[in-house]
Amino acid sequence: MTTQHSPEHGHHHHGGNHGNHHEHQHSDEQGMAEMLDLDARLIKDHLQEIFVWTAGYQPAPSTILDLGAGTGTGTLGLARTFPEAGVVALDQSEFMLGRLSTQVKSLGLEERVSTLQVDLDAAWPELTDIDLVWAASSMHHMSEPASVYERIAGTLSADGLLVVVEMDAFPRYLPRDLGFGAPGLEERCHAAAGSAKWNAHPDWAGPIREAGMEVVDQRTFGYAIEQDQQLVARAAHRWLFRMRDSLKDDLSAADLQALEVLLDDKDPRSVLARTDLSMRGSRTVWAAQPAR
């Protein structure tokens, strides 16, 4: 079971309808959607930089396909960046697409933005001659990325562009020394998450070329967000909460205790009370076109 929206955080085993698990799944998707929306507000300028870079290669696409649209951060950003284009947001989650449709209506974009529910591991949409295919934090969820890249190559127009975006690592928020516990807590959390293969993705240049496309550029975009401490603190709190739940067996008792302190809203040392946070990270982006 894979997901095609861009959870960006934590484990990726939700999605699809599992009968009795539906309630649980809904709340899981609800939490994921809120996290995606919060992230989107924080990294807006960072993503805008990637949209502008994309426009350098495909200045005026008429048709755009967002693969694994999630709550639509990419979809709406692309619609803003390319005001003449029609955008199809594709995801396997009805919940995420429903949330996106609500935003589309509230922004009056129904004429230009449509949604399509597809599980790309099982089927491929009947779409051809697409000028821009955008796949942000979704390719590493595919069970057979090679065949998805081949389908993308067949979906692009002759001078179309594929843009693949992946997070290089999860964002970091905390200072190295918290003033309590052993310094380096966040590094240890990341190391534990890394060994659990969260968010792992290869260098996509090889698979893209093997699918008959040419990589025209590859770049890494870094960011560090310090303004809006309140939003950063909320994002950090959500992330540490997920970390604590998922890494219970991988961290020392002392580190788990430090996480408890950071997550305790009533403790003055809580992450929500701190003013020394910054959200730091980077994304690598590949741009490719059909081989001439």
Side-chain angles (χ1 to χ4, degrees), residues 5-289:
H5 48 265
S6 331
E8 300 274 39
H9 295 290
H11 290 312
H12 306 308
H13 51 238
H14 59 276
N17 294 330
H18 301 302
N20 298 339
H21 301 299
H22 195 65
E23 287 305 308
H24 166 71
Q25 176 209 337
H26 190 276
S27 66
D28 195 25
E29 288 198 307
Q30 176 83 35
M32 187 65 78
E34 282 164 13
M35 193 179 260
L36 287 174
D37 288 344
L38 182 56
D39 264 10
R41 287 169 67 186
L42 281 163
I43 59 171
K44 200 166 163 212
D45 294 345
H46 166 59
L47 290 177
Q48 189 55 36
E49 202 185 342
I50 300 175
F51 294 136
V52 168
W53 178 81
T54 299
Y57 289 95
Q58 181 55 289
S62 310
T63 50
I64 301 174
L65 176 61
D66 183 2
L67 287 187
T71 53
T73 304
T75 306
L76 298 173
L78 292 162
R80 272 196 307 275
T81 306
F82 302 108
E84 301 303 307
V87 189
V88 178
L90 185 150
D91 203 282
Q92 76 167 32
S93 163
E94 280 178 64
F95 177 79
M96 296 278 180
L97 291 177
R99 204 167 161 123
L100 170 53
S101 294
T102 305
Q103 281 204 74
V104 166
K105 282 195 189 72
S106 73
L107 293 165
L109 291 172
E110 301 99 314
E111 297 289 303
R112 291 180 46 217
V113 180
S114 58
T115 62
L116 188 58
Q117 192 206 358
V118 179
D119 177 349
L120 290 182
D121 284 327
W124 188 262
E126 296 289 315
L127 295 169
T128 51
D129 229 24
I130 299 285
D131 298 320
L132 172 59
V133 173
W134 173 271
S137 294
S138 52
M139 284 307 301
H140 71 266
H141 296 302
M142 306 297 174
S143 59
E144 288 180 33
S147 70
V148 175
Y149 279 124
E150 280 173 20
R151 299 290 197 129
I152 290 170
T155 299
L156 283 171
S157 60
D159 53 358
L161 183 76
L162 163 67
V163 175
V164 178
V165 185
E166 293 280 13
M167 276 171 59
D168 297 317
F170 291 113
R172 307 216 171 191
Y173 300 94
L174 304 176
R176 185 172 159 71
D177 189 348
L178 293 165
F180 62 89
L185 170 66
E186 196 165 34
E187 281 87 346
R188 292 189 294 280
C189 287
H190 277 254
S195 62
K197 293 281 187 284
W198 289 9
N199 210 61
H201 62 84
D203 177 346
W204 287 124
I208 288 170
R209 287 192 190 100
E210 282 157 29
M213 291 176 281
E214 178 189 347
V215 177
V216 291
D217 205 349
Q218 178 172 341
R219 256 189 75 177
T220 298
F221 293 83
Y223 63 90
I225 299 148
E226 280 162 20
Q227 67 279 32
D228 216 339
Q229 282 286 307
Q230 207 179 354
L231 269 190
V232 173
R234 274 177 55 203
H237 190 277
R238 268 184 182 273
W239 176 229
L240 292 169
F241 186 82
R242 256 186 128 75
M243 279 277 206
R244 182 198 60 188
D245 278 8
S246 304
L247 300 175
K248 281 200 267 292
D249 304 330
D250 306 298
L251 295 173
S252 69
D255 280 349
L256 287 170
Q257 179 52 41
L259 279 176
E260 291 300 338
V261 170
L262 288 168
L263 290 168
D264 180 357
D265 306 353
K266 296 183 180 66
D267 194 305
R269 298 167 297 172
S270 142
V271 73
L272 293 174
R274 299 187 78 94
T275 54
D276 58 356
L277 303 172
S278 67
M279 185 176 175
R280 313 174 295 282
S282 66
R283 280 172 175 73
T284 293
V285 188
W286 295 260
Q289 292 183 309

